[in-house]
Amino acid sequence: MSTDGRKRAAITPGAVVDIVLKQDQRTGKTTRGVVQHILTKSPDHPHGIKVRLQDGQVGRVKRIWSGTDGEG
């Protein structure tokens, strides 16, 4: 099961998420990773909450994976 990434409360450090990087906004290509820091301060954002992944990439969350769905 997955959840959309527009609500800050739904995202926690360590969560597996799909983000859209700045350079991929036109195509909508997503990158999967693990949240290190939540960068958006507001409780929600129409384009997705901005996060930094553990590998240093920054983008807006499009999907939050729960359980083992995001792995593999």
Side-chain angles (χ1 to χ4, degrees), residues 31-63:
T31 302
R32 188 162 297 166
V34 178
V35 176
Q36 182 175 26
H37 295 293
I38 301 171
L39 303 176
T40 300
K41 297 296 181 201
S42 64
D44 54 44
H45 192 283
H47 300 297
I49 299 298
K50 191 178 280 189
V51 299
R52 177 177 291 116
L53 300 180
Q54 287 181 346
D55 64 4
Q57 296 184 96
V58 173
R60 294 199 180 272
V61 177
K62 292 299 171 191
R63 193 170 300 115

Side-chain angles (χ1 to χ4, degrees), residues 1-5 16 18 32 62-67 69-70:
M1 187 177 122
S2 67
T3 311
D4 107 354
V16 177
D18 288 345
R32 188 162 297 166
K62 292 299 171 191
R63 193 170 300 115
I64 305 161
W65 295 96
S66 62
D69 290 350

